[in-house]
Structure formats: C-alpha cells, structure tokens
C-alpha cells in the first residue's frame, strides 16, 4: 500500500507535476482516494448543475481491459487508480437539476419562489435561445466537457498536492471505454486520470508558451503587459 504523503503547497505541485510516464503498481489508500474525489466534486459548474460522473477503476482485470481500450497505454494498468471522467449532457433534464435544488435547500437556499426562479432560469438558459447563442445547444457536449474538466483538473491537483503522481489521458477509444464500463449511451467520456506513484524517472519539463504568445490584452492579438 502506498504511504500517505504530506501535502505540498500548490505552487510546488505545479512546478513538480509531470504527466507521469510510468507508475509503481501499488494500491492507493482509500481515504486518500476519497479525499481526491471529494475535493474534485467541490469544483464549480454552471448553475452548480455538476453534469459530471466519474468511474474509478481499481480492479486489476478492469484496468487491463481499460488499457486495451486506451491504445495499450501501460500506465493504465500500472496506476493505482484510473478516474474515468464523464460528462452527462442531459443529466440536468433527468434529475440533476432537482437534486441540485434539493441540496441547495439544505444549505439555506430554501425559498420556494427563489428555487422556482432558478429552475426557470436554468432551463431557460440551457434549453432556450440563450443556450443556442452560447453554443451549448443542441448537443450540450461542449457544455458537459467544460464543466467536467474543471472537476477532473481539481482532482489532478488535489492528488498532486497530496504527493501522488498523475497522468491525464485522452488516448482512448470512447466506444470501447463506454462498453467496458457500461456507461450510458448519451454520456461522453471526457478524459482519464491515472493516479499513483511514479516509477523510475519522471518526464522532463517541456516548457510552456510565454504569455506574449498565449495571452492577449483586451482584444485578441494585442500584447499584454503585466
Ligand atoms: C487532456 C490531456 C490528455 C492527455 N492524453 C495523454 C495520453 O493519452 N497519453 C499520454 O501519454 N499523455 C497524455 N497527456 C499528457 C501530455 O502529453 C502532457 O501533459 C504534455 O506533454 C505536457 O507534459 P507535462 O504534463 O509533463 O508537463 C495528456 C494531457 C492532457 C492534459
């Protein structure tokens, strides 16, 4: 069993994180896994609708099959856990909105008129012309992906600050992953997050674009000065 690690400051985690090339095949402490997941579920989402779902794969047989659905990437099988992040484009129409309102009522947002207003606003935005104008309708895929990646990334940083190593992955065959994990038809698989302990040498840091290339001031293309 991997040892629980002392937490590191966020800035240190950012400096030290690499897309882990290879993992020790050790189990993760379930308390640590729960912490990573719970922190991720604290991520913000539009109207707090939380259209994400996660399948945590730890079973060795399942990991082996998941590896096959991920172009044979060995780290899937080596990692202590692989978090399969999914976005449900239509969960908001199918109970998530009501559940979100029920929970928010428990936290003090319990004025029925306010709740009714939120319900109308959300359904009006997502399902109406505003949703089309925002590029969300008609598939809601972009929308579900947008929200899910925030929770995914929050889990990644949570794991890294806790001393675990992570590897985000988009190299998988969605249909195969869905079939293996029995993910419903309408749900999209957004990304996989392998979590565990680095084995051997980490990857080199490959550098990043300077703000001068990637960040603009006020309008696209205008250099930013800090
Ligand atoms: C969404 C996403 C998907 C990725 N998919 C894969 C993958 O399938 N396989 C892989 O080996 N690395 C994958 N990577 C890792 C990237 O190649 C890596 O993050 C990038 O080269 C920068 O390196 P660094 O994270 O070590 O700084 C992915 C990264 C992200 C953010």
């Amino acid at each position: 069993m991997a040892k629980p690690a002392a937490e590191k400051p966020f800035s240190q985690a950012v400096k030290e994180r690499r897309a882990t090339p290879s993992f020790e095949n050790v189990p993760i402490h379930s308390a640590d896994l729960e912490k990573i997941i719970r922190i991720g579920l604290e991520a913000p989402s539009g109207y707090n609708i939380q259209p994400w779902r996660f399948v945590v794969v730890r079973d060795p047989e399942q990991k082996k099959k998941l590896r096959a659905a991920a172009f044979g990437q060995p780290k899937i099988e080596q990692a202590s856990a692989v978090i399969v992040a999914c976005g449900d484009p239509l969960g908001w129409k199918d109970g998530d909105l009501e559940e979100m309102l029920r929970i928010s009522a428990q936290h003090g947002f319990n004025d029925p008129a306010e709740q009714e207003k939120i319900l109308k606003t959300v359904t009006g935005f997502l399902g109406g012309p505003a949703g089309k104008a925002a590029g969300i309708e008609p598939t809601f895929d972009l929308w579900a992906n947008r929200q899910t990646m925030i929770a995914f990334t929050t889990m990644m940083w949570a794991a890294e600050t806790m001393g675990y190593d992570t590897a985000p992955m988009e190299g998988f065959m969605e249909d195969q992953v869905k079939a293996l994990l029995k993910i419903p038809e309408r749900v999209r698989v957004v990304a996989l997050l392998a979590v565990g302990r680095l084995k051997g040498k980490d990857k080199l840091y490959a550098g990043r674009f300077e703000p001068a290339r990637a960040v603009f001031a006020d309008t696209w293309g205008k250099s930013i000065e800090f």
Side-chain angles (χ1 to χ4, degrees):
M1 176 98 39
K3 271 203 215 128
E7 293 203 9
K8 48 173 117 160
F10 183 68
S11 55
Q12 188 188 344
V14 170
K15 210 166 165 205
E16 292 177 0
R17 184 208 60 80
R18 297 279 64 82
T20 305
S22 192
F23 288 93
E24 297 277 2
N25 199 341
V26 287
I28 184 168
H29 275 270
S30 54
D32 284 354
L33 181 63
E34 183 180 359
K35 188 170 173 184
I36 291 164
I37 297 289
R38 283 188 179 277
I39 289 173
L41 296 182
E42 290 298 328
S45 58
Y47 295 110
N48 199 23
I49 295 177
Q50 308 159 62
W52 47 59
R53 297 291 185 273
F54 300 90
V55 182
V56 180
V57 181
R58 281 176 290 181
D59 177 69
E61 272 307 305
Q62 267 313 67
K63 281 197 286 179
K64 195 175 184 173
K65 290 178 188 158
L66 186 61
R67 174 183 176 178
F71 303 105
Q73 297 193 67
K75 48 191 159 188
I76 301 238
E77 217 179 330
Q78 300 161 349
S80 311
V82 181
I83 301 172
V84 179
C86 305
D88 184 349
L90 295 176
W92 63 278
K93 282 187 181 176
D94 198 15
D96 278 3
L97 201 42
E98 287 76 12
E99 177 62 2
M100 179 276 280
L101 289 172
R102 190 189 67 78
I103 297 168
S104 66
Q106 287 178 338
H107 286 83
F109 293 91
N110 48 12
D111 174 354
E114 266 305 304
Q115 290 238 333
E116 189 56 34
K117 202 171 136 199
I118 293 169
L119 195 71
K120 278 211 177 104
T121 308
V122 176
T123 47
F125 176 69
L126 290 178
K132 280 200 177 69
I136 292 168
E137 275 242 62
T139 69
F140 298 98
D141 278 7
L142 165 74
W143 174 78
N145 185 69
R146 173 183 292 154
Q147 322 290 343
T148 303
M149 277 312 282
I150 300 177
F152 175 97
T153 309
T154 305
M155 287 178 194
M156 184 187 81
W157 287 121
E160 291 281 340
T161 55
M162 288 163 65
Y164 285 96
D165 299 295
T166 62
M169 276 175 272
E170 62 187 340
F172 58 85
M173 289 164 275
E174 187 183 18
D175 285 354
Q176 292 190 20
V177 173
K178 284 174 73 165
L180 173 67
L181 306 179
K182 301 188 175 17
I183 293 169
E185 180 75 36
R186 74 171 188 219
V187 172
R188 301 300 308 269
V189 183
V190 172
L192 315 186
L193 181 67
V195 181
R197 298 274 185 219
L198 168 72
K199 183 179 181 190
K201 267 185 127 175
D202 213 346
K203 250 180 69 185
L204 280 176
Y205 172 61
R208 292 295 189 266
F209 293 153
E210 282 297 318
R213 182 178 185 85
V215 184
F216 306 126
D218 302 316
T219 46
W220 184 275
K222 191 173 166 215
S223 305
I224 189 157
E225 312 235 336
F226 295 108

